[in-house]
Amino acid sequence: MALLFFGPGYLACAQDIDQLKIGLQADGRVIVPTNQVIKPAGKQVTFPGRPVDLAFLEHGKITAIKNMHDIVFVETASGKILQTVDIPKSKLSVVGLVNVGGKVYVSDSMGLMQSIEFDEDGFYKLLPALPLEKIKLEGEPDYAGIAKLSDEQIFVTCTRGNFVQLVDIKNQKAGQIIPVGVAPYTVAVVSSTKAYISNWGGDHPKANDPQRSSSGTPTRVDERTGISNHGSVSIIRKENGTWKESKSITVGLHPSGMILSKNSKRLYVANANSDTVSVIDTDTDEVLETIFCRPESRLPFGSASNALALSPEGGTLYVANGTNNCIAVVRLSAKSSEGMGEGRPEKSQVLGLIPTGWYPGAILLNAEGTQLIVANVKGLGSLNQKRIAEKGHNSHDHLGSISIIDVPDAKTLAKYTEEVNTNNRLNYSLAGLEKPRPDAKPLVIPQRHGEPSLIKHVVYIIKENRTYDQVLGDMKEGNGDAHLCIFGENTTPNHHKLAREFTLLDNFYCSGVLSADGHSWTDSAYVTDYLEKAFGGFPRSYPDDGRDPLAFAPTGFIWDNALLHKKTIRNYGEHISEEPYFPKGTRWTDFFNDYKNGTRKVPITIKINDAALKSHTHPTYPYFPLHAPDVYRAELFKEDLKAFEKAGKMPDLILMSLPCNHTDGTTPDFPTPRAMVADNDLALGRIVEAISASSFWKDTCILVVEDDPQAGFDHVDGHRTVAFAISPYTKRKYVDHTSYNQTGMVKTIEMMLGLPPMNQMDLSATPMRGCFSAEPDLTPYKVVNNKIALDEMNPPLKKLTGKALFWAEKSVAMNFEQADVADEDTFNRILWHSVKGYDSPYPERFVRKKADGE
């Protein structure tokens, strides 16, 4: 734990950021893998985790912080951490923390109401949990937002049960269930007989509404994108001793945090997927005003306005813009402020911005209105290590934070606003909105969105879960650590040859940390509040396969962008359900035999989760589980490529999953980890070889990236990963040290295909211009055959002893049927020892604890 003060430092321009490495800089700034700088105002209190909610105790002297697995208590004035109360085996939900009579109540996604009190010894202690209503759906109920009704009763929402529960805290009894909308987030209590509930998914769909299931509940969706397109606030009233929903008010998308004015005449609702705040008159229950909270009105979607605080006099609203890493300071209009009509503007106005940590997700304002407390969900990124001064980080080293900020005067607010806009590259973003020039000459990556490109086809290959050092750390040409390389040139000869023959990218980063957010970054260059706050356990869904319409940005995915602009697409594996696609009893060797023999004896049945992709998806190309090797997948693509050649036409955008470098650990009946990575390597090499030998090579670019780094180790940063840009225009035998990330790869695709940006993240991203030249080199790629037998199998348990048996048993106990279900730290140890040897010391400096039994 640390207390950090960010002193004065120069402001970064886009070019400056592009030359730096991700992480803590010498001047105190933090560069994060989303093209942004973190330089928060005020005092920073840091701690392990990802905080999602705040509550004041002792009249604001103490701030309680709801974290991933614990509650942190901080002395507000000094920022001193007083105590951390662990909640064992808990999965704390996305929001839900309240102080009632000095006792802290905390919602648990597993169906428990946790409570903490200050004991006579001067410590906060955890009390026995109160079980709440169970739901009939499989999985955890995900209890979330809490609000005080009285000193004896509280409300708590259940996002998967679609209800609010009344809890008798005096007698420790769970009470009435009140059905509301889809995925209720939190509660605002007006009186003893009336309350409001924000519904993340809006109203329940009617029979004829386009709809999909979100965590077991039908949810209204956009017919084109299949993504949730409704948000609402339910009103519940108490009549004749019983609470029930009386009305629903339509607001923006993903309504989340709410706050009432002093006399409860106005309700403010933050709509995270609309970048707005809805202002509701609580007498008429009508929306009076919708306030846009983006830093600049010309910007597209992407601010994630998700939490609120209100000044004591009711004239100023503070809005947490999660994706902008700031608090928007809004001067409320006459109609939107309670009893303050004189001198108020006709429309509410964003006066300025206050810089915070990474992704502010909760705000408190002290009683005097002089100090803001902000919970930063991602804090300072992956810097939670006792070894901050050392090299090397793990992407799961979450270092959460709160910012304690004095409310600024007008002069200071102007300075803060300039800092926020510089940190988010506002001028660069606005320049990116310039219209295409009609006389622009074709370039590989045009200067503006919509201008012509020399590239006509993009093949976008998404692999699974490796850091740069794990694969390319042995390349002397780049910034690698050979000691951390476990799948080096002997295992991945094609990765190494591609890096040498084309461009080696040694400063490329995943924007996320695991598959749930990783596939959102690769496919839409954005991650919603719904996902950013779910790291306590992902109780609603783990939507790397696109299964949950509530999880994604309303602007859709790169394929939606392409289809909307009349581009042709073909999909191989993205948004395919993670479920067995083969008959029961099928083994990996059955698919491998089909590959070797060129047969199709094993039938494949896939389920496509995205309606927009259904008519564009290969009907038998699988995703997870990893029973089919990647060379099998490569053959499916090559068959299509021959058909494209015959027709003289290839899709403009091809999406492809190559997941087998994830591996199945040392599980018997599956290949060894190095064999599965070798399979992935050979498949990639063959795909590149086939495309480079085709008639489409002259104007095709192959972009390759890992979806996430899977808590892997890297001596620069845990987000750093393996990526390629392969085309006739790619610089040959070149090393590009430019800082790129997944949002920039998405932007590169957009610019090559003449597509507009989808949101603020891809708009502000750096396209991958540095690795391309103006003149083409049409020399085709020649694949390197595998050096590791693809069917080098893990031995059965009965043939193992000692540490080999120990780790194999750990592997068998894991769930590899779905991405990222297996414990990542244990999994990385299995991979390390399987390659390096069971007596080779694991690089402990990249983890927080030693594994049991090691």
Side-chain angles (χ1 to χ4, degrees):
M1 299 180 182
L3 181 63
L4 302 182
F5 295 87
F6 284 72
Y10 68 92
L11 297 174
C13 62
Q15 292 78 9
D16 174 26
I17 298 175
D18 291 346
Q19 301 308 311
L20 298 174
K21 295 180 179 65
I22 297 303
L24 186 63
Q25 309 299 306
D27 61 0
R29 298 176 301 157
V30 176
I31 310 296
V32 295
T34 52
N35 316 293
Q36 296 170 305
V37 175
I38 302 299
K39 186 176 179 288
K43 188 186 304 178
Q44 313 310 310
V45 183
T46 64
F47 42 85
R50 293 171 66 109
V52 293
D53 210 349
L54 299 168
F56 276 143
L57 301 172
E58 298 182 27
H59 306 288
K61 293 180 181 179
I62 307 296
T63 301
I65 307 163
K66 183 176 184 179
N67 205 8
M68 287 173 67
H69 305 292
D70 52 43
I71 307 299
V72 181
F73 294 90
V74 173
E75 186 178 64
T76 309
S78 67
K80 178 183 178 182
I81 294 176
L82 301 174
Q83 189 180 343
T84 298
V85 177
D86 183 48
I87 303 181
K89 299 181 181 179
S90 67
K91 293 182 180 179
L92 298 186
S93 55
V94 296
V95 69
L97 181 69
V98 71
N99 169 19
V100 182
K103 187 180 291 186
V104 177
Y105 292 89
V106 185
S107 59
D108 186 318
S109 67
M110 300 170 70
L112 301 173
M113 177 65 70
Q114 307 283 354
S115 57
I116 300 170
E117 70 175 4
F118 196 64
D119 67 17
E120 62 275 7
D121 297 324
F123 293 98
Y124 291 100
K125 71 174 183 179
L126 183 65
L127 300 174
L130 170 64
L132 299 173
E133 181 76 10
K134 293 183 179 180
I135 61 171
K136 294 180 181 179
L137 294 172
E138 180 182 349
E140 297 152 1
D142 193 33
Y143 279 91
I146 308 175
K148 173 185 173 182
L149 178 61
S150 69
D151 289 340
E152 298 180 355
Q153 292 179 311
I154 59 174
F155 283 119
V156 57
T157 66
C158 180
T159 79
R160 296 195 68 229
N162 307 309
F163 60 74
V164 180
Q165 181 155 25
L166 188 61
V167 180
D168 182 342
I169 55 176
K170 179 181 179 182
N171 298 308
Q172 291 288 288
K173 292 181 179 180
Q176 186 191 342
I177 299 298
I178 307 111
V180 289
V182 176
Y185 180 87
T186 197
V187 186
V189 176
V190 176
S191 68
S192 61
T193 59
K194 183 180 180 182
Y196 294 87
I197 294 89
S198 55
N199 300 309
W200 249 343
D203 293 342
H204 294 278
K206 297 177 182 177
N208 296 325
D209 289 335
Q211 56 191 271
R212 290 176 60 196
S213 174
S214 172
S215 197
T217 297
T219 304
R220 293 167 62 164
V221 299
D222 180 89
E223 194 167 16
R224 180 177 66 86
T225 64
I227 295 170
S228 174
N229 71 340
H230 195 254
S232 69
V233 172
S234 292
I235 305 170
I236 60 172
R237 292 180 183 272
K238 186 178 181 181
E239 298 177 3
N240 300 320
T242 301
W243 288 88
K244 63 180 180 179
E245 183 181 27
S246 62
K247 183 180 178 179
S248 173
I249 306 169
T250 296
V251 292
L253 303 180
H254 280 214
S256 45
M258 300 188 293
I259 193 168
L260 285 158
S261 60
K262 184 177 181 180
N263 295 314
S264 298
K265 296 294 184 182
R266 298 288 183 270
L267 174 70
Y268 306 93
V269 184
N271 306 307
N273 260 15
S274 293
D275 303 338
T276 63
V277 172
S278 298
V279 184
I280 295 172
D281 183 324
T282 59
D283 289 331
T284 64
D285 288 327
E286 301 292 337
V287 175
L288 294 173
E289 185 180 15
T290 300
I291 306 168
F292 279 85
C293 300
R294 295 168 191 160
E296 220 279 348
S297 60
R298 287 172 288 174
L299 289 173
F301 163 76
S303 290
S305 307
N306 71 94
L308 304 168
L310 186 66
S311 62
E313 85 288 350
T316 303
L317 189 68
Y318 298 93
V319 184
N321 279 353
T323 312
N324 298 141
N325 309 321
C326 72
I327 302 299
V329 182
V330 178
R331 187 185 185 202
L332 292 171
S333 65
K335 61 185 174 183
S336 292
S337 54
E338 184 181 83
M340 297 187 65
E342 188 175 348
R344 293 268 127 193
E346 183 178 348
K347 292 184 177 180
S348 297
Q349 303 169 342
V350 176
L351 296 179
L353 310 167
I354 303 172
T356 65
W358 197 3
Y359 210 94
I363 326 174
L364 291 176
L365 183 67
N366 67 358
E368 296 76 23
T370 58
Q371 194 173 67
L372 288 162
I373 314 298
V374 183
N376 303 301
V377 177
K378 299 200 281 188
L380 299 180
S382 299
L383 298 178
N384 170 33
Q385 300 172 351
K386 295 178 180 178
R387 59 187 187 281
I388 286 180
E390 297 181 22
K391 292 181 178 180
H393 298 290
N394 178 300
S395 65
H396 284 31
D397 288 333
H398 307 297
L399 187 64
S401 72
I402 62 168
S403 300
I404 303 173
I405 306 169
D406 291 336
V407 171
D409 57 21
K411 182 178 179 181
T412 305
L413 181 60
K415 174 178 173 289
Y416 282 164
T417 302
E418 181 182 354
E419 290 183 357
V420 170
N421 289 333
T422 302
N423 291 346
N424 291 334
R425 298 158 50 129
L426 177 64
N427 290 338
Y428 175 82
S429 295
L430 294 178
L433 294 174
E434 293 177 350
K435 294 182 179 180
R437 297 162 294 187
D439 58 347
K441 295 181 179 180
L443 300 172
V444 180
I445 301 180
Q447 291 298 316
R448 298 181 185 180
H449 285 270
E451 292 184 346
S453 170
L454 294 166
I455 299 297
K456 305 302 179 189
H457 312 281
V458 175
V459 180
Y460 188 24
I461 299 175
I462 301 169
K463 304 194 313 100
E464 289 285 332
N465 308 3
R466 291 288 155 254
T467 64
Y468 178 93
D469 274 343
Q470 285 180 316
V471 179
L472 300 177
D474 60 342
M475 289 195 67
K476 295 180 180 179
E477 298 92 331
N479 179 19
D481 185 336
H483 174 66
L484 299 178
C485 183
I486 56 176
F487 300 118
E489 189 156 7
N490 191 57
T491 304
T492 55
N494 285 288
H495 282 68
H496 286 70
K497 184 179 181 184
L498 288 167
R500 289 196 179 99
E501 286 197 1
F502 294 92
T503 292
L504 172 62
L505 301 167
D506 69 349
N507 201 18
F508 191 106
Y509 301 87
C510 291
S511 300
V513 300
L514 39 68
S515 289
D517 69 339
H519 282 267
S520 276
W521 286 114
T522 59
D523 294 342
S524 62
Y526 190 85
V527 170
T528 63
D529 64 309
Y530 182 92
L531 284 177
E532 294 289 19
K533 295 183 179 182
F535 276 66
F538 295 96
R540 288 189 58 84
S541 64
Y542 196 87
D544 59 305
D545 61 358
R547 76 184 74 173
D548 187 348
L550 257 179
F552 307 113
T555 43
F557 304 98
I558 185 66
W559 52 82
D560 294 311
N561 196 355
L563 290 171
L564 186 63
H565 293 88
K566 311 303 181 185
K567 299 296 179 180
T568 54
I569 68 170
R570 181 70 163 166
N571 175 49
Y572 301 84
E574 275 300 280
H575 281 202
I576 304 301
S577 275
E578 292 179 1
E579 56 188 47
Y581 44 82
F582 41 78
K584 188 175 182 179
T586 302
R587 299 177 301 170
W588 181 90
T589 50
D590 296 324
F591 277 110
F592 189 64
N593 289 333
D594 266 353
Y595 154 71
K596 286 193 303 181
N597 300 326
T599 56
R600 294 288 185 271
K601 291 183 178 180
V602 181
I604 292 179
T605 304
I606 63 171
K607 177 184 176 183
I608 304 166
N609 286 324
D610 193 319
L613 288 174
K614 283 190 176 178
S615 62
H616 306 284
T617 295
H618 191 290
T620 61
Y621 191 99
Y623 181 45
F624 269 79
L626 304 180
H627 280 54
D630 278 343
V631 286
Y632 181 101
R633 292 178 174 84
E635 290 304 309
L636 295 177
F637 168 74
K638 288 168 62 181
E639 289 171 3
D640 270 10
L641 183 60
K642 289 179 182 178
F644 299 153
E645 286 273 37
K646 187 175 181 180
K649 193 174 183 180
M650 187 167 88
D652 303 314
L653 174 62
I654 290 174
L655 302 117
M656 189 182 308
S657 171
L658 280 184
C660 284
N661 65 320
H662 179 284
T663 87
D664 271 322
T666 52
T667 306
D669 294 328
F670 282 91
T672 63
R674 68 175 191 164
M676 294 193 81
V677 174
D679 159 50
N680 176 264
D681 176 81
L682 182 59
L684 177 63
R686 286 181 175 171
I687 290 165
V688 174
E689 180 183 61
I691 294 171
S692 70
S694 76
S695 59
F696 307 110
W697 175 235
K698 64 184 183 300
D699 49 18
T700 295
C701 180
I702 305 165
L703 294 170
V704 185
V705 72
E706 309 285 323
D707 80 298
D708 72 81
Q710 197 183 22
F713 30 78
D714 189 276
H715 84 280
V716 172
D717 186 272
H719 294 86
R720 195 169 67 131
T721 197
V722 178
F724 296 102
I726 304 161
S727 77
Y729 293 94
T730 302
K731 293 177 182 177
R732 299 283 180 143
K733 297 178 173 58
Y734 179 72
V735 180
D736 188 352
H737 301 298
T738 308
S739 179
Y740 299 122
N741 60 60
Q742 290 165 331
T743 65
M745 187 169 278
V746 171
K747 184 181 183 110
T748 299
I749 295 171
E750 291 169 339
M751 301 194 85
M752 286 178 170
L753 296 183
L755 306 176
M758 295 180 286
N759 56 67
Q760 293 176 35
M761 289 290 93
D762 53 338
L763 176 61
S764 68
T766 299
M768 299 169 67
R769 288 196 177 93
C771 55
F772 294 103
S773 62
E775 298 299 323
D777 180 344
L778 294 172
T779 304
Y781 178 75
K782 296 296 181 183
V783 70
V784 180
N785 288 328
N786 53 297
K787 300 178 182 180
I788 307 294
L790 303 188
D791 58 351
E792 177 188 81
M793 305 299 285
N794 291 317
L797 296 181
K798 63 183 179 181
K799 291 189 176 181
L800 299 174
T801 60
K803 292 181 180 178
L805 175 60
F806 171 83
W807 289 113
E809 288 175 337
K810 291 275 189 183
S811 188
V812 169
M814 290 181 169
N815 178 2
F816 290 117
E817 297 294 291
Q818 295 176 307
D820 292 353
V821 174
D823 178 76
E824 291 169 312
D825 179 55
T826 303
F827 189 26
N828 277 321
R829 293 172 186 271
I830 290 170
L831 298 181
W832 174 273
H833 291 304
S834 74
V835 176
K836 294 282 192 177
Y838 291 96
D839 292 323
S840 176
Y842 187 75
E844 292 291 343
R845 68 185 187 277
F846 296 96
V847 295
R848 292 186 294 279
K849 62 181 181 179
K850 195 168 184 177
D852 293 337
E854 189 176 14

